[in-house]
Amino acid sequence: MAWTTDAPGGQRHTGYVLGRLADGTIPTYRSGQALYEREFTDSPNGAGGTWSGPGAADVDQPTALVPACRCGWRGPDTPYGGEALLPDDAMLEARAVWRAHAAAVLDAQVPDGYRDKISALARNLHELADERPRSALVLARQLREIADHLEPLAVAQALAQGVPWETIGVDLDQTKQAVHRRYGHPSASLEQRVRELTGGSVAALLAVARDRRRGTPPPAPRARWSQAVTRALRPPAGNGVGVPGS
């Protein structure tokens, strides 16, 4: 069983399901000189399912399903045939995890509602720069700080959905090497922002992102994000510059 998602520009991701046996391995079969992993299809008519490839009848049923994508992405194991999930539910869960991965990888378009709000804000900021330039400077600093807090959370969520570093770099208009270097060797300011948001380090944030399962809480609690935004919007003490509406 395979699922396909297309996106504008001809991009395509194809998902499928592997199975993990009780000993922790994914069964394989050989065709000529090549070794292939067996794909697993859950039976719609009863318990169990079938493996791909020759000799499939001799292979035990899996204890977990592993969502996978032709791009090389692998999702977390989903218990199969045990008490945690019924077999049909496990297959649905595996497909949902893959669909989330495909959507995250293929869709970099900003939703119209967000784009409209940003456009309206940009127009207001242009007027503010003409009328009250110091207030505009304060807002520019505040927006930059909010964006700097937002980026590591978005990077972690993208990694959790299987988005590769190269694609993250494209979305940030940077090279894969530059983004990977910034998060692999984070600056003190980046470490401080992530600690404010999550209570942990950049390395811990990325490690948790790679191991996250679909439906688990985001890396930063909403309360911590709200606190970070409140700090960013607070004018410096003794500044004397007010922002309209603040």
Side-chain angles (χ1 to χ4, degrees), residues 51-132:
W51 295 99
S52 64
D58 298 328
V59 183
D60 292 337
Q61 291 290 296
T63 59
L65 303 185
V66 184
C69 189
R70 301 296 182 203
C71 71
W73 169 86
R74 297 284 175 87
D77 287 14
T78 298
Y80 180 80
E83 297 179 357
L85 287 173
L86 295 175
D88 288 348
D89 292 338
M91 184 62 74
L92 291 173
E93 172 74 4
R95 182 176 184 180
V97 171
W98 171 80
R99 286 176 63 87
H101 152 73
V105 172
L106 293 174
D107 188 7
Q109 297 297 316
V110 177
D112 290 340
Y114 288 86
R115 192 181 303 277
D116 293 342
K117 291 176 182 178
I118 293 173
S119 296
L121 176 62
R123 289 193 297 270
N124 292 335
L125 291 177
H126 184 266
E127 295 175 1
L128 185 64
D130 286 339
E131 299 170 2
R132 297 178 60 173

Side-chain angles (χ1 to χ4, degrees), residues 191-211:
E191 286 282 11
Q192 179 181 350
R193 289 193 295 272
V194 170
R195 196 167 297 278
E196 289 174 358
L197 291 167
T198 68
S201 66
V202 173
L205 173 67
L206 301 186
V208 169
R210 296 187 188 98
D211 293 337

Side-chain angles (χ1 to χ4, degrees), residues 4-239:
T4 299
T5 294
D6 294 304
Q11 289 183 300
R12 169 176 292 185
H13 275 240
T14 301
Y16 58 99
V17 172
L18 302 169
R20 194 177 303 281
L21 301 176
D23 62 4
T25 63
I26 294 176
T28 58
Y29 67 92
R30 188 173 295 279
S31 178
Q33 298 298 315
L35 190 66
Y36 298 94
E37 291 179 315
R38 294 184 186 273
E39 298 178 20
F40 185 78
T41 301
D42 186 43
S43 172
N45 301 317
T50 57
W51 295 99
S52 64
D58 298 328
V59 183
D60 292 337
Q61 291 290 296
T63 59
L65 303 185
V66 184
C69 189
R70 301 296 182 203
C71 71
W73 169 86
R74 297 284 175 87
D77 287 14
T78 298
Y80 180 80
E83 297 179 357
L85 287 173
L86 295 175
D88 288 348
D89 292 338
M91 184 62 74
L92 291 173
E93 172 74 4
R95 182 176 184 180
V97 171
W98 171 80
R99 286 176 63 87
H101 152 73
V105 172
L106 293 174
D107 188 7
Q109 297 297 316
V110 177
D112 290 340
Y114 288 86
R115 192 181 303 277
D116 293 342
K117 291 176 182 178
I118 293 173
S119 296
L121 176 62
R123 289 193 297 270
N124 292 335
L125 291 177
H126 184 266
E127 295 175 1
L128 185 64
D130 286 339
E131 299 170 2
R132 297 178 60 173
R134 290 191 64 198
S135 294
L137 289 173
V138 171
L139 275 176
R141 173 186 56 77
Q142 292 172 338
L143 290 172
R144 188 180 305 114
E145 186 171 346
I146 290 173
D148 286 344
H149 279 77
L150 176 63
E151 181 187 298
L153 297 183
V155 166
Q157 181 66 1
L159 291 173
Q161 298 289 7
V163 180
W165 282 107
E166 182 177 5
T167 301
I168 293 173
V170 169
D171 292 340
L172 292 173
D173 196 22
Q174 299 174 19
T175 65
K176 166 188 173 181
Q177 292 78 7
V179 177
H180 194 271
R181 183 166 55 250
R182 184 160 79 253
Y183 283 88
H185 304 280
S187 64
S189 59
L190 177 57
E191 286 282 11
Q192 179 181 350
R193 289 193 295 272
V194 170
R195 196 167 297 278
E196 289 174 358
L197 291 167
T198 68
S201 66
V202 173
L205 173 67
L206 301 186
V208 169
R210 296 187 188 98
D211 293 337
R212 278 185 63 204
R213 286 181 58 86
R214 176 178 171 270
T216 56
R222 191 177 298 274
R224 284 182 178 266
W225 170 253
S226 298
Q227 292 167 4
V229 172
T230 299
R231 284 192 298 270
L233 296 178
R234 185 181 301 138
N239 174 285

